[in-house]
Amino acid sequence: MRLRLFVLLIFAMWAGAGPALAEKRVALVIGNSAYKNVARLTNPANDAALVGGMFRKTGFDTIDIKLDLSAADMRRSLREFAGRTRDADVAVIYYAGHGIELDGTNYLIPTDAALETDGDVLDETVALDRALFAVEPAKQLRLVILDACRDNPFAKTMKRTVASRAIGRGLAKVEPTSPNTMIAFAAKAGSTASDGDSKNSPFAAALVERLPTPGLDLRKAFGFVRDDVLKNTGYKQEPFVYGSLGGDDVALVPAKPVATGPQANPDSEIRRDYELALQLGTRDVWTAFLNRYPSGFYTDLAKAQLNRISAEDARAAAAEKARAAEEEKAKLAAERAKKAEQEKAAAAAKAAEDARIAAEKAKRIEEAKAAAAEQRRKDAEAAAKALADKQAAEKALAEKIANDKAAAEVAARQANDKAQSEQKVAAVTPAQSPPSLSPQETAKLVQSELRRVGCLAAAADGDWNATSQRSLNLFNKYAGTKFDAKFASFEALDAIKAKPGRVCPLVCNHGFKADGDTCVKITCRAGYRINDDNECEKVQDKKPVATREDATNRDAERKQVESRPAKPQTSGQIVCGVGIGGCRPVRPGCRLEQKNSSNVEVCN
C-alpha cells in the first residue's frame, strides 16, 4: 500500500512537471460580493473564478480562490499566502470588491465591514500595504491587481469625525518601494470603475484575454488591457499601473519555445508516465498506471507489461514449488520413506518441473509480446514526430504569409486614411471671402459653389435671379440650412464650401437613372421598353390598321416640319469633370451617355 501511494505521488509530480519548473508561481484570488451592510456586488465572485481559472490554465503552482471573506479571513489568507511566497519566484494577488481611500491610504473592504464612521476604517478593513507585504518575499515579480475602484456606498453614508479628513473617490495613487513590484488599478487614481453589464467586469474580462499570452511583457499586456477597457466602456474607464520593472521583459506566462523541431505530442503526458512506469517496472506501478489511464494505446502497452510481470510471478511460484518438492523428496529419502511416498514425491517433483518449464515458456511468450508492443510504440512515436515536423513547417509558412499580408493591408489602410484625412481637411476649411466683394461678385461665387454641389444647373453669371434663389432653397432643403434665398450672403457661401461633395440629388436624362454621382443607363429585358416614367414596361402588340392618307398633305407637312430650326432642349442634367473645370449643365441638344464607367456628353 505504501509503495502504491509512493508511485501515485511520483506520477502526480511527473504529470505536473513542465515549463513551470523553471520558476515557481503562486497566486491568491479574492472576490467579495456578498456584503452584509450594503448592496451585494454582482461580479466580484464571477471575476475571481474567471481570473483564478486563468492562473490555473497558465500553470501556476498554487492558486487559492477565496470568496466573500470577512476581515479576519482576509488577514488569515494574506498571512498564509505570505508563507508560500518565501520560496516563490512570482507572486500575484487579485482582489475584486469594494475599496476605499482615506487620507491618501488605500484599504480593501471585507464583507462584514459596517464603516459607520471614518475611524472604523482602521479597524474593519485591510490596508493595501498588507497585500504588498504578502507578495514581497517573491524573488522575481510581485504583482497586485485591484478591481476595487467601484463607486463605494460606504463613503456616502460614513460619518466624519474630523471635518478636514479626506475620503477620496476611487483609490489613491501608490508608489511601491520594493523593486520589481507592480500594482494595477481597474481605474486610475481618483476615478471609479464599472462593474459591467455582463457576467464579468470589463477589467477582469480584459485581464484573462491579455495576461496569459506567453512571453508578453507585463507592461505591454497591461497596455492592451487599458485599450480594451477604454473601448468597452466608451472611454469612461482607464486602468492604470503603478510601480516599475527592469529593462528585461517580464511575462506572467513564460514564452513557449520556438517550434523548430517536432511539436508536443497530445499523448506526451501519458508517454512520460509510461516511461517512468517502465523504469520502475513493478506490478503496483503498472496497476496505478492502468487505474489512471483506463484506455488508449499506452494502456494496451501497460497491460502487456503487467501480463509479463504476471508470467514472471507464475514462473517464480512454480520454481519455488519445485524447490519445495525437491526438498520434500530429499527429506523422504533421508528418512528412508516408503517407496510409494518417494514415488509420489518424485511424481510431484516432475509435475512441478513440468509446470516450471511451462511457466518459462509462457514467460518467453509474454516477453516477446511486450517487446513487439514496445516496438509498435516506438514506430508510432516516430510517425507522430514526422507528422509534427510537417505540421510545424506548414504552420510557419502560413504564419509568414498571413503576417506579410496583414502588414501590407495595414500599410495600405494607413495610406488611404491619411489621404482621406488630408482631403477632408482641405474640403472643410472655409475660405474667407474678402468683405470688399460686390453683390454681383458674391452672387457669382455662391452660384459657382451651388453648381459644384449639384444644386444649380444654370451658369454662374452673377445675376441672382429666381433660378438662383430656387437653387439656394434646394440646398437648404438637402443640407438642413435656413439661409435667406433672396440674397447671396457670405454665410451661405461658407456653408456651401464646407460640403465636400454633392448635396442635391442627381437628375438624369430619360433612359438613365442616378447611381451615386453618376447616371447609368436603364436596361430592360427582352420584350420590355422604357416608358415616360423612366420605368420598364411590357411592349404591347399593335394590330395594323389600314388607313388611307392624302399623300400630298402628308408630304407638305413633313417638309414644313423639316424646314423648321431645331428647338434647343434642356435636359436638366449636369456633367462634371476635370477638363471642364468643375460641373455645368448639359448643353441644349446634347445628352449623357455612359462610356467606360463614366458619363460623357454626346451632341448630335
Side-chain angles (χ1 to χ4, degrees), residues 59-224:
F60 269 62
D61 299 89
T62 304
I63 306 100
D64 292 335
I65 302 177
K66 307 288 185 179
L67 302 179
D68 300 328
L69 298 184
S70 63
D73 292 336
M74 285 186 68
R75 294 186 179 96
R76 181 169 55 255
S77 298
L78 290 171
R79 182 171 61 252
E80 294 173 354
F81 184 70
R84 284 190 290 274
T85 61
R86 292 191 182 96
D87 59 344
D89 299 288
V90 177
V92 183
I93 293 179
Y94 171 85
Y95 172 80
H98 277 311
I100 192 171
E101 178 259 324
L102 180 67
D103 287 338
T105 302
N106 297 318
Y107 300 87
L108 310 181
I109 303 179
T111 57
D112 60 347
L115 301 185
E116 296 178 356
T117 67
D118 51 7
D120 296 337
V121 173
L122 301 177
D123 299 324
E124 298 177 4
T125 65
V126 178
L128 175 60
D129 290 340
R130 183 67 184 84
L132 295 174
F133 181 85
V135 300
E136 189 173 8
K139 302 178 183 64
Q140 295 181 7
L141 174 64
R142 309 166 185 92
L143 176 61
V144 177
I145 305 173
L146 298 178
D147 196 355
C149 306
R150 296 169 173 83
D151 191 12
N152 187 2
F154 290 98
K156 299 177 181 178
T157 59
M158 185 187 303
K159 297 179 181 179
R160 271 61 165 181
T161 58
V162 179
S164 61
R165 180 163 291 158
I167 298 177
R169 182 173 181 265
L171 298 181
K173 181 180 179 181
V174 180
E175 292 294 341
T177 58
S178 301
N180 294 330
T181 301
M182 294 185 69
I183 303 174
F185 283 6
K188 65 180 180 180
S191 61
T192 58
S194 171
D195 203 31
D197 298 328
S198 60
K199 183 179 178 181
N200 298 104
S201 70
F203 184 62
L207 287 176
V208 300
E209 178 70 18
R210 298 297 185 177
L211 292 188
T213 304
L216 181 62
D217 182 63
L218 276 178
R219 287 158 291 202
K220 196 166 185 179
F222 278 110
F224 289 143

Side-chain angles (χ1 to χ4, degrees), residues 164 280 295 430 444 511:
S164 61
L280 298 177
S295 63
K444 188 173 182 180

Side-chain angles (χ1 to χ4, degrees), residues 215-290:
L216 181 62
D217 182 63
L218 276 178
R219 287 158 291 202
K220 196 166 185 179
F222 278 110
F224 289 143
V225 170
R226 169 193 173 273
D227 295 342
D228 292 346
V229 174
L230 277 173
K231 180 179 179 181
N232 293 332
T233 60
Y235 296 91
K236 296 179 181 179
Q237 177 182 339
E238 180 183 5
F240 214 85
V241 178
Y242 300 92
S244 63
L245 301 178
D248 295 333
D249 287 349
V250 179
L252 190 66
V253 179
K256 294 181 180 179
V258 179
T260 56
Q263 298 183 359
N265 193 320
D267 294 334
S268 59
E269 181 179 355
I270 304 177
R271 178 177 59 80
R272 288 196 302 267
D273 293 347
Y274 176 84
E275 291 175 349
L276 177 61
L278 189 64
Q279 293 177 5
L280 298 177
T282 63
R283 178 185 294 274
D284 290 337
V285 169
W286 289 119
T287 302
F289 182 91
L290 292 175

